[in-house]
Amino acid sequence: MDLSLTKDQQSFREEVRAFLAASLTPELRRGAELTSGVFAEPDIAREWQAILEEQGWLVYHWPDHAGGPGWTPIQRWIFEKECAEAGAPVLPGMGLKLVGPVLYTFGTQAQQDYYLPRLRSAEHFWAQGFSEPGAGSDLASLRTRAVREGDHYIVSGHKIWTTQAQYANRLFALVRTDAEVKPQKGISFLLIDMAQPGVTVKPILSASGDHELNEVFLDEVRVPVSDRVGDEGQGWSIAKFLLENERGGSSFAPAILADLARLHTSAGPLTGELADRALRLRLEAEALEMTELRTLIEIEHGAAPDPRSLTTKLLASEIRQGLEALAVDAFGLAGLQLPGERPFYGGDMPAPVVSPAAQVAAARYLNARAWSIFGGTSEIQLTLIAKAALGL
Amino acid sequence: MDLSLTKDQQSFREEVRAFLAASLTPELRRGAELTSGVFAEPDIAREWQAILEEQGWLVYHWPDHAGGPGWTPIQRWIFEKECAEAGAPVLPGMGLKLVGPVLYTFGTQAQQDYYLPRLRSAEHFWAQGFSEPGAGSDLASLRTRAVREGDHYIVSGHKIWTTQAQYANRLFALVRTDAEVKPQKGISFLLIDMAQPGVTVKPILSASGDHELNEVFLDEVRVPVSDRVGDEGQGWSIAKFLLENERGGSSFAPAILADLARLHTSAGPLTGELADRALRLRLEAEALEMTELRTLIEIEHGAAPDPRSLTTKLLASEIRQGLEALAVDAFGLAGLQLPGERPFYGGDMPAPVVSPAAQVAAARYLNARAWSIFGGTSEIQLTLIAKAALGL
Amino acid sequence: MNLALSDEQAMVRDMVRRFLADRYDATTMAKGPMSSDDWRALGELGLFALLMPEQAGGLGGGAVEVMIISQELGRALAITPLAEAILLCGRALAADQAVGGWTDRLMQGDALLAFARGGEVVDGRLSGLADIVRDGVNADAFVVETEVGALLLVDVQDSGIRRIPVRLVDGSMAANVRFDAALAQPLTAPASLWAEAHTLAGLSIIAELVGAMSTLLDLTVDYIKQRHQFGKPIASFQVVQHRCARMYTWLEQSRSLLLKAAMVGEKERTRAVTTARAYIGDTALKLAEEAVQLHGGMGVTNELAVGRGLRRVLLLSRLHGGGIAARSALAA
Amino acid sequence: MNLALSDEQAMVRDMVRRFLADRYDATTMAKGPMSSDDWRALGELGLFALLMPEQAGGLGGGAVEVMIISQELGRALAITPLAEAILLCGRALAADQAVGGWTDRLMQGDALLAFARGGEVVDGRLSGLADIVRDGVNADAFVVETEVGALLLVDVQDSGIRRIPVRLVDGSMAANVRFDAALAQPLTAPASLWAEAHTLAGLSIIAELVGAMSTLLDLTVDYIKQRHQFGKPIASFQVVQHRCARMYTWLEQSRSLLLKAAMVGEKERTRAVTTARAYIGDTALKLAEEAVQLHGGMGVTNELAVGRGLRRVLLLSRLHGGGIAARSALAA
């Protein structure tokens, strides 16, 4: 048993630190700190993505045959932790984390050759079209339909909760290609060009006033059959791959621990109940970090993920929500500011009371409520844990 | 809207206070404070019962036609609160609170004439025979059977969780008199003399080491038909009356608030986390007191009980459990004593470390776990609340 | 002991409830601060006069009136300056005949007053900063408590006032106010009246919170009965039932402490309000968060009253230091 | 980074597990302190020697060995004096050849040592009181840390010792010890060794807690799968499933902090143990309480391991000031 890094891992960490010190500009750092949503806004994200791509580390979690740097799970974790501690922007995951792995795993050579470079260069900005109104987390009841006409599908339907769709020019979507078979069998996975007639994006404002979510209406949208990933009817299993990949993909604790440390700086020393809440959150977050690390170490040594890996999204949601609530309280009345302007690091923002960190606190608190809802509610997580870990 | 007591209520309260100051001996008070279970032990209880009976206040919650003092709900509450603050023993409720009201409501004149005086004089000590192994809170699956033979029932079965049955000479029990009809229809309510062949009491030791609970085995026990309360098959509705009577009957908050105040005396000033926990418990308890009082005031003014009255057992369980856990922590290592001897105020007890209150803390903590289990688990309470208050 | 409202009180409650029901439903609740027209209409109904002390020409309504009116406002998730404009500022003015014009306009809903803390007075002129003065952007005058505790009235017409708007989480507009030798009229509200003002303002806020809690629970129960997941109404899941039952216990416990705070004798009221805030400050937010969670994705949008209600509850539950400050005060 | 046990460590774990599995099951777990025969048998297996430093003739087993052995003891709900007798007292003796006889007997399980705090030394004799000395009733000698921090060894044969038994909540027997000019042999354990002793004793206790937590969860899951209520297995109720899932998260989070405390470098270990105790101290008791609750009436009796397990967890989780003291230390 050993928690220390090898010499190689240590020098890798130094390399990452040096890179971040040199490349992560104060503007990027500030943009990241004052981001109220899940992902960096496009101006920040685009710049950081280009820097990472230049360094060869953008697709650090892709295998080398797909163009990744060939890092081990521990190296990826070191990189993520260093990025979190340095306060790097969080890049949108729809392309890099979701459709990217789908493409290099299930895509044809032609699809890979066309889409992967454009994903990396940010020429394509991807959105995820899975959820539909009324279906909640229940993908089997999908109603968007794709009818084959020659070498095209004609797609009509209504997607919802589509993160950053207002910036996207590509949508990957689950659609029903066969209504006759068992619900899960009739689903296919399509890549849809959003710059065409019939695609309408309608914003859903969050309670915070942030515009992160959208509805996407598809009205007889034409999709070449060559933009179907996998076979017809294979959509369900591709989606499963994608969701498991999303879940197992990254660690939550490093960002939480880094944000908690930053709060102590931005809000000053916490006392009384606030100090107690901060301490308890840190205990939970340190435990979570090790819970995540245990799984990574096991994977590094070739084991299959333990059911314990199912607990991290649930725990991270709760710790994150506790952290953002603490931030609001730590800033007192100033934590209750909520300007209507966006982004918080932008030039249109009114002068903050106390500090920009105070100004963004309420928006972050409100947006953090979504952690326990999207990507499988906390209730669904508990049911999954009971089943997988305890056989209930 | 008005929370103040009327002149009459104020002088009533003075009368109660004067009585308690004069009649509640230091020995009784000490016995009550060092009681680890739900009810006072028989030596304490018997003495206090005689004093109350002499004063005419033993059956303070019975209507005057049944021999009670004719108090209003608010008077009863004042009496209970004063008793709690003075630290009076808690009398076993099986006779006074449970079977007593059943007898004066459903009993024949002969049953009332025979049983009620003996209940009050403590010649009869009652135990409650409702629960059976495996049935949990589910009375419909009752298996103890009573077969009619002439003017007797022959009763056989197995009761469990029978509080203080080791001291009892009378058992009121639900038995199945008819196996042919719908489960709830075939149940009758019998009064059983325990001093006869076929009745066996077997102790169930609590985790604390206290002997409060028992199993009662009935093996062809003879019960005169004249000791059936109500008609054959009426047992279910009598039981419902009894349980509702138990629930609506008394307030939980006064005893909790009094014990919390006593803890500050016995454990010294609490600081840090302990002070915070004490304060939060007090907030909950003060709220509960008012929640209970609201229902009493409504009843005093002739209204039917609101569904909110269903919340008090759940809340009281949690506050009580929090309080007893706080006591353990407040005494530090001394709060972890758990002598095997009983009772804690008795002469056989080893010398306590710190104080007798510290010595009894762990036993009280362990026994308090039962609050959320017996008399309808907290889970059942939540289901009832969801149904009755919210229509779920 | 008696929980019944007097006929007059019941009438006021019904009047306010009807007024608000005409204006607010699940699509309009908490969308933004109450319009000045509606505010004026409430003044014309006599609501503010009811809550003002008699020496200010009001009807001297007390804690119970504050509770029932505030609870209705909370129930409608209405965003108004009642606690500070009427209960705080109104009482600050009450003893001064010289400012009678303001008092009358306040009661009619014609003028809006905001309460600010900060600054110092030199030669009858106020200078200094007051950050996040609630409703400070639209205020016609400020009641200012200076650093040394003097009470003043400052008209926004005075050229020595600069205001920078600060939007708050419920959508209401506060201001950072800079006083630069602004003409300030001393106020003489006796200490007891000023203390009462703070107590009643605190009571108003917890009453609004309890009102908001009851609405958020109602909205949630309605929602889970209608919506389906995995082919069943959400309300049929045991976990959801228990969570709603738990929310109900929070609501009733909160209501109990609110009622007690409104009903106890005057001497005990300040402590009872602090006690209630120590519990309700945390509990209201917890309930609002649960309400959002049980609404799923829709809960975190600006579309439904529940998401906007969370914002209002966040603000109200944190005012006056929220539960944390109240618990500190009780522990001291 | 590597989570695998060495072959030797795995062998030790399996040996202890087998030893305990032969002696403890759901009907015997936590019924009372481990018999002295079993304790001696553990000594004969070399377990205590493994945990003693090399200068005391032991094998110098470190934090990982402490963790795996203690976790197995916890899993069996075995009630032993391991943390204090072997890890604390053993290290206190380690530097003194003159007390070598005690060290050997300790390692063989032949002698029991208890740790006491209190008293002062005058002319080589100890006088004073030490309350609630764990395992003090059966101890053959005491390691005493006096009020000024001196370490001493006191043989119970000395006539200057009086012991009054104090039964603790897990059924183990502590003693109030009065030293009355008892002959005391000074011990010279270096500060670093003594600090390590405390850290490892703390690690042992949290490892026992994590072992106990896993058993209590297992017992609960088994129970709810077997028992029925309202005609269905308890395990089929969604509320019950979610509560068990929640217990599982507590267990895994606790295990994570335990593993970290055992695996970090020596310099960081004391803080890591405190961090783990700050979390596990509260979480273990919460889990044990949930386990009891989900067992219903049977949970609060002395019949089932779960009720007795709650007692053991209560004790262990409160030792060394429990979570409260640990959080204070971290906040300082």
Side-chain angles (χ1 to χ4, degrees):
Chain A
M1 289 192 140
D2 185 8
L3 258 191
S4 58
L5 299 180
T6 63
K7 280 246 166 67
D8 284 354
Q9 287 167 341
Q10 286 178 37
S11 40
F12 173 74
R13 187 176 58 184
E14 291 313 314
E15 190 188 348
V16 173
R17 279 189 190 166
F19 161 73
L20 289 169
S23 311
L24 189 61
T25 63
E27 290 70 34
L28 284 172
R29 223 182 276 253
R30 181 165 182 277
E33 190 178 353
L34 299 182
T35 293
S36 50
V38 183
F39 300 125
E41 298 289 321
D43 56 338
I44 297 285
R46 210 171 275 276
E47 189 180 335
W48 184 233
Q49 176 158 348
I51 294 170
L52 286 174
E53 177 67 349
E54 161 112 20
Q55 174 74 7
W57 292 355
L58 175 67
V59 293
Y60 69 94
H61 48 289
W62 293 9
D64 44 11
H65 69 79
W71 289 351
T72 67
I74 300 296
Q75 278 181 301
R76 291 177 198 168
W77 178 80
I78 291 170
F79 178 71
E80 289 174 3
K81 187 161 172 68
E82 292 302 321
C83 285
E85 286 183 2
V90 176
L91 297 180
M94 294 78 75
L96 294 163
K97 298 260 166 108
L98 301 184
V99 80
V102 163
L103 285 167
Y104 64 65
T105 307
F106 299 95
T108 62
Q109 195 57 48
Q111 287 173 334
Q112 297 191 27
D113 291 347
Y114 178 74
Y115 283 113
L116 291 182
R118 286 169 178 80
L119 192 166
R120 295 172 62 158
S121 72
E123 180 186 333
H124 285 173
F125 190 116
W126 286 93
Q128 174 183 21
F130 278 19
S131 296
E132 298 187 0
S137 303
D138 183 9
L139 287 181
S141 64
L142 200 80
R143 281 183 301 187
T144 296
R145 63 190 191 287
V147 181
R148 180 85 176 251
E149 257 188 41
D151 51 7
H152 279 77
Y153 292 103
I154 311 299
V155 182
S156 293
H158 180 183
K159 297 291 180 180
I160 196 168
W161 312 127
T162 318
T163 303
Q164 292 198 339
Q166 74 268 35
Y167 307 129
N169 51 16
R170 286 291 183 290
L171 177 79
F172 60 92
L174 295 178
V175 299
R176 188 165 298 288
T177 40
D178 188 342
E180 306 299 306
V181 295
K182 223 176 88 179
Q184 301 169 2
K185 295 276 180 197
I187 295 174
S188 300
F189 191 105
L190 297 187
L191 310 174
I192 303 177
D193 185 350
M194 291 178 73
Q196 62 170 307
V199 180
T200 314
V201 175
K202 195 185 142 206
I204 303 175
L205 283 195
S206 298
S208 63
D210 279 314
H211 176 195
E212 280 199 288
L213 302 169
N214 300 275
E215 293 178 88
V216 177
F217 298 88
L218 304 170
D219 183 15
E220 308 210 339
V221 170
R222 292 175 67 82
V223 180
V225 171
S226 60
D227 278 341
R228 187 192 68 225
V229 181
D231 295 332
E232 256 193 24
Q234 206 189 338
W236 177 262
S237 56
I238 295 177
K240 258 187 71 180
F241 163 86
L242 178 148
L243 294 173
E244 275 163 22
N245 208 45
E246 177 187 22
R247 197 175 291 135
S250 51
S251 301
F252 297 110
I256 290 172
L257 283 164
D259 283 351
L260 194 51
R262 271 191 280 275
L263 178 63
H264 281 91
T265 313
S266 60
L270 304 176
T271 57
E273 281 189 30
L274 295 176
D276 186 59
R277 280 162 61 185
L279 176 56
R280 286 171 192 269
L281 288 168
R282 186 163 67 72
L283 296 175
E284 286 279 0
E286 283 192 22
L288 177 63
E289 179 170 54
M290 188 68 197
T291 299
E292 292 177 338
L293 203 43
R294 284 162 63 199
T295 301
L296 288 176
I297 296 171
E298 287 163 0
I299 292 173
E300 178 110 348
H301 289 90
D306 187 276
R308 125 175 48 85
S309 63
L310 294 171
T311 65
T312 62
K313 197 261 181 177
L314 170 76
L315 294 168
S317 300
E318 292 170 347
I319 306 170
R320 172 58 69 184
Q321 291 174 343
L323 168 60
E324 302 302 350
L326 175 65
V328 167
D329 284 342
F331 287 114
L333 206 47
L336 300 172
Q337 300 169 81
L338 184 65
E341 296 79 1
R342 290 293 180 281
F344 280 90
Y345 53 84
D348 298 336
M349 199 50 54
V353 183
V354 178
S355 70
Q359 197 175 38
V360 76
R364 290 179 67 116
Y365 163 82
L366 291 167
N367 289 337
R369 301 316 307 170
W371 270 84
S372 51
I373 293 172
F374 294 118
T377 65
S378 288
E379 293 72 39
I380 287 175
Q381 307 294 333
L382 285 167
T383 298
L384 290 174
I385 294 166
K387 195 169 185 166
L390 305 174
L392 295 175
Chain B
M1 288 194 140
D2 185 7
L3 257 191
S4 58
L5 299 179
T6 63
K7 280 245 165 67
D8 284 353
Q9 287 168 341
Q10 287 178 38
S11 41
F12 172 74
R13 187 175 60 185
E14 292 313 315
E15 190 187 348
V16 173
R17 279 188 189 168
F19 161 74
L20 289 169
S23 311
L24 189 61
T25 63
E27 290 71 32
L28 284 172
R29 223 182 276 252
R30 181 164 182 277
E33 192 179 353
L34 299 182
T35 292
S36 50
V38 183
F39 300 126
E41 298 289 321
D43 56 336
I44 298 285
R46 211 171 275 275
E47 187 180 336
W48 184 234
Q49 177 158 346
I51 293 171
L52 286 174
E53 177 68 348
E54 162 108 22
Q55 174 75 6
W57 292 355
L58 175 66
V59 293
Y60 69 93
H61 47 292
W62 295 10
D64 44 9
H65 68 79
W71 290 350
T72 67
I74 299 298
Q75 277 180 301
R76 291 177 198 169
W77 178 79
I78 291 170
F79 178 70
E80 290 174 2
K81 188 163 173 67
E82 292 302 322
C83 285
E85 286 184 3
V90 177
L91 296 180
M94 294 78 75
L96 295 163
K97 299 258 166 110
L98 301 184
V99 79
V102 163
L103 285 167
Y104 64 65
T105 307
F106 298 96
T108 61
Q109 194 58 46
Q111 287 172 334
Q112 297 190 30
D113 291 347
Y114 178 74
Y115 283 112
L116 292 182
R118 288 170 178 76
L119 192 166
R120 295 171 63 157
S121 72
E123 179 186 334
H124 285 172
F125 190 115
W126 286 93
Q128 174 183 21
F130 278 21
S131 295
E132 298 187 0
S137 302
D138 183 9
L139 286 182
S141 64
L142 201 78
R143 281 184 301 187
T144 295
R145 63 189 190 287
V147 181
R148 180 84 176 250
E149 257 187 42
D151 50 7
H152 280 77
Y153 291 103
I154 311 300
V155 183
S156 293
H158 180 183
K159 296 290 180 180
I160 196 168
W161 313 125
T162 319
T163 303
Q164 292 197 339
Q166 73 268 37
Y167 308 129
N169 52 14
R170 286 291 183 288
L171 177 80
F172 61 90
L174 294 179
V175 299
R176 189 165 298 289
T177 41
D178 189 342
E180 306 298 306
V181 295
K182 220 176 91 179
Q184 301 169 5
K185 294 276 179 198
I187 296 175
S188 299
F189 191 105
L190 298 188
L191 309 174
I192 302 177
D193 185 348
M194 290 178 75
Q196 61 170 309
V199 179
T200 312
V201 175
K202 194 184 144 210
I204 303 174
L205 283 194
S206 297
S208 63
D210 279 314
H211 176 195
E212 279 200 287
L213 301 171
N214 300 274
E215 293 178 89
V216 177
F217 297 89
L218 303 170
D219 183 13
E220 307 210 341
V221 168
R222 292 176 66 81
V223 179
V225 170
S226 59
D227 278 340
R228 188 192 67 227
V229 182
D231 295 332
E232 255 193 24
Q234 208 190 337
W236 178 262
S237 56
I238 295 177
K240 257 188 71 180
F241 164 87
L242 178 148
L243 294 172
E244 275 164 21
N245 209 43
E246 178 187 21
R247 197 174 291 133
S250 51
S251 301
F252 297 110
I256 290 173
L257 284 164
D259 283 351
L260 194 51
R262 270 190 282 274
L263 178 64
H264 281 91
T265 314
S266 60
L270 304 177
T271 58
E273 280 189 29
L274 296 176
D276 186 57
R277 280 161 62 185
L279 175 56
R280 286 171 192 269
L281 288 168
R282 186 163 67 74
L283 295 176
E284 287 280 0
E286 283 192 24
L288 177 62
E289 179 169 55
M290 188 68 197
T291 299
E292 292 177 338
L293 203 44
R294 284 161 65 198
T295 301
L296 288 175
I297 296 171
E298 286 163 0
I299 292 173
E300 178 111 347
H301 290 89
D306 187 275
R308 126 177 45 86
S309 63
L310 293 172
T311 65
T312 62
K313 197 264 181 176
L314 170 76
L315 295 168
S317 300
E318 292 170 347
I319 306 170
R320 171 59 69 183
Q321 291 174 341
L323 168 59
E324 303 301 350
L326 175 65
V328 167
D329 284 342
F331 288 113
L333 207 46
L336 300 173
Q337 300 168 80
L338 183 65
E341 296 80 1
R342 292 292 181 279
F344 280 89
Y345 52 84
D348 298 336
M349 200 49 56
V353 184
V354 178
S355 70
Q359 197 175 38
V360 75
R364 290 179 67 116
Y365 163 81
L366 291 167
N367 289 337
R369 301 316 307 170
W371 270 83
S372 51
I373 294 172
F374 294 118
T377 64
S378 288
E379 293 71 38
I380 289 175
Q381 306 295 334
L382 284 167
T383 299
L384 290 174
I385 294 167
K387 194 169 184 166
L390 305 174
L392 295 174
Chain C
M1 292 184 171
N2 178 9
L3 292 165
L5 298 179
S6 70
D7 289 350
E8 291 75 13
Q9 289 165 341
M11 215 179 68
V12 169
R13 184 199 57 196
D14 294 345
M15 181 188 78
V16 178
R17 187 175 290 183
R18 233 174 301 121
F19 179 91
L20 295 167
D22 287 347
R23 282 154 183 82
Y24 295 107
D25 60 22
T27 61
T28 54
M29 280 177 179
K31 274 233 161 164
M34 180 181 273
S35 72
S36 53
D37 284 352
D38 283 347
W39 181 252
R40 196 172 297 113
L42 280 177
E44 281 161 11
L45 285 172
L47 212 64
F48 308 148
L50 172 64
L51 296 178
M52 288 283 273
E54 289 172 9
Q55 68 258 57
L59 295 173
V64 172
E65 284 75 18
V66 168
M67 174 182 73
I68 58 182
I69 292 168
S70 303
Q71 210 173 337
E72 292 306 321
L73 290 170
R75 196 193 298 271
L77 297 177
I79 298 172
T80 80
L82 185 86
E84 304 205 333
I86 306 300
L87 299 171
L88 265 192
C89 297
R91 273 171 175 69
L93 301 178
D96 292 275
Q97 299 300 324
V99 296
W102 282 110
T103 319
D104 290 344
R105 288 178 60 200
L106 193 62
M107 287 194 283
Q108 287 152 19
D110 258 351
L112 181 62
L113 273 80
F115 174 67
R117 240 185 254 267
E120 49 184 338
V121 178
V122 178
D123 295 337
R125 290 187 172 269
L126 176 70
S127 294
L129 285 174
D131 272 350
I132 312 195
V133 175
R134 290 181 59 218
D135 301 298
V137 167
N138 305 313
D140 300 297
F142 293 99
V143 167
V144 182
E145 189 171 17
T146 66
E147 283 157 20
V148 296
L151 276 185
L152 310 163
L153 181 70
V154 182
D155 192 323
V156 297
Q157 305 282 331
D158 192 277
S159 61
I161 291 184
R162 291 284 171 280
R163 304 189 259 194
I164 300 170
V166 178
R167 185 171 177 270
L168 297 183
V169 66
D170 63 347
S172 65
M173 292 305 296
N176 293 338
V177 185
R178 168 182 289 279
F179 300 102
D180 190 8
L183 197 62
Q185 191 170 346
L187 297 173
T188 57
S192 64
L193 192 68
W194 189 230
E196 182 197 69
H198 280 285
T199 299
L200 290 181
L203 179 67
S204 171
I205 286 164
I206 57 175
E208 273 199 72
L209 281 169
V210 170
M213 288 168 84
S214 73
T215 290
L216 292 173
L217 177 55
D218 288 348
L219 289 170
T220 303
V221 169
D222 287 351
Y223 187 85
I224 62 169
K225 284 178 179 169
Q226 286 163 22
R227 301 283 297 199
H228 285 62
Q229 189 147 32
F230 303 110
K232 292 198 288 185
I234 298 175
S236 68
F237 291 96
Q238 194 191 22
V239 160
V240 172
Q241 290 176 6
H242 282 199
R243 285 169 75 164
C244 288
R246 184 60 72 177
M247 291 163 76
Y248 174 77
T249 68
W250 295 339
L251 170 62
E252 288 303 317
Q253 288 280 82
S254 296
R255 198 192 299 285
S256 288
L257 288 176
L258 168 64
L259 281 166
K260 189 170 174 185
M263 290 166 74
V264 290
E266 271 186 44
K267 277 190 226 153
E268 305 158 65
R269 180 157 301 125
T270 301
R271 191 173 174 86
V273 167
T274 305
T275 297
R277 182 163 57 233
Y279 180 83
I280 298 171
D282 288 14
T283 308
L285 188 64
K286 203 163 57 168
L287 184 145
E289 290 174 346
E290 281 288 272
V292 164
Q293 179 71 20
L294 291 170
H295 275 77
M298 289 307 294
V300 294
T301 71
N302 217 6
E303 314 261 316
L304 296 192
V306 69
R308 302 189 304 264
L310 172 62
R311 290 162 45 194
R312 177 69 175 161
V313 166
L314 179 65
L315 183 93
L316 290 174
S317 68
R318 266 56 202 156
L319 289 181
H320 305 178
I324 296 177
R327 286 188 293 275
S328 281
L330 293 173
Chain D
M1 292 185 170
N2 178 10
L3 292 167
L5 298 179
S6 70
D7 289 349
E8 291 76 14
Q9 290 166 340
M11 217 179 66
V12 168
R13 184 198 56 196
D14 295 344
M15 182 188 77
V16 179
R17 188 176 290 183
R18 234 176 299 121
F19 180 91
L20 295 168
D22 287 347
R23 281 152 183 85
Y24 296 106
D25 61 21
T27 62
T28 53
M29 279 177 179
K31 274 234 162 163
M34 180 181 274
S35 73
S36 52
D37 284 352
D38 283 347
W39 182 251
R40 196 173 297 114
L42 280 177
E44 281 161 13
L45 285 172
L47 212 65
F48 308 149
L50 174 64
L51 297 179
M52 289 281 273
E54 288 171 9
Q55 67 257 58
L59 296 174
V64 172
E65 284 74 19
V66 168
M67 173 181 73
I68 59 183
I69 292 169
S70 304
Q71 209 173 336
E72 292 306 320
L73 290 170
R75 197 193 297 273
L77 298 178
I79 298 173
T80 80
L82 185 86
E84 304 206 332
I86 306 298
L87 299 170
L88 265 192
C89 297
R91 271 172 177 69
L93 300 179
D96 292 276
Q97 299 299 325
V99 295
W102 282 111
T103 318
D104 290 345
R105 289 178 59 199
L106 192 62
M107 285 194 283
Q108 287 152 17
D110 260 351
L112 181 63
L113 273 82
F115 175 66
R117 242 186 252 265
E120 50 183 337
V121 178
V122 178
D123 294 337
R125 292 188 171 268
L126 176 71
S127 295
L129 285 173
D131 272 349
I132 310 194
V133 176
R134 289 181 60 218
D135 301 298
V137 167
N138 304 313
D140 299 298
F142 294 99
V143 168
V144 182
E145 189 170 17
T146 66
E147 282 158 19
V148 296
L151 275 186
L152 309 165
L153 181 70
V154 182
D155 192 322
V156 297
Q157 303 284 331
D158 192 277
S159 62
I161 292 184
R162 292 284 171 281
R163 302 190 261 193
I164 300 169
V166 179
R167 184 170 177 271
L168 297 183
V169 66
D170 63 346
S172 65
M173 293 304 297
N176 293 338
V177 185
R178 168 182 291 278
F179 301 102
D180 190 7
L183 196 63
Q185 191 170 346
L187 297 172
T188 58
S192 63
L193 192 67
W194 188 229
E196 184 197 68
H198 280 286
T199 300
L200 291 181
L203 179 67
S204 171
I205 286 164
I206 56 175
E208 272 199 72
L209 282 168
V210 169
M213 289 169 83
S214 74
T215 290
L216 292 173
L217 177 55
D218 288 349
L219 290 170
T220 303
V221 169
D222 286 351
Y223 186 86
I224 62 169
K225 283 178 179 169
Q226 286 164 23
R227 302 283 298 199
H228 286 62
Q229 189 148 31
F230 304 110
K232 292 197 288 184
I234 299 176
S236 67
F237 292 97
Q238 193 192 24
V239 160
V240 171
Q241 290 176 6
H242 282 199
R243 284 168 76 163
C244 288
R246 184 61 72 176
M247 291 163 75
Y248 173 77
T249 68
W250 295 338
L251 169 63
E252 288 302 318
Q253 288 279 83
S254 296
R255 197 191 300 285
S256 288
L257 288 176
L258 167 65
L259 281 166
K260 188 170 175 185
M263 290 166 74
V264 289
E266 272 186 41
K267 277 190 226 154
E268 306 158 63
R269 180 157 301 125
T270 301
R271 190 173 175 86
V273 168
T274 305
T275 297
R277 182 163 57 234
Y279 180 81
I280 298 171
D282 288 15
T283 308
L285 188 64
K286 203 163 56 169
L287 184 145
E289 290 174 347
E290 281 287 273
V292 163
Q293 179 72 21
L294 290 170
H295 275 77
M298 290 307 295
V300 294
T301 70
N302 218 6
E303 314 261 317
L304 295 191
V306 68
R308 303 189 302 264
L310 172 62
R311 289 162 43 195
R312 178 70 176 159
V313 167
L314 179 65
L315 183 93
L316 291 174
S317 68
R318 266 57 201 156
L319 289 180
H320 304 179
I324 297 177
R327 286 188 294 275
S328 281
L330 293 173

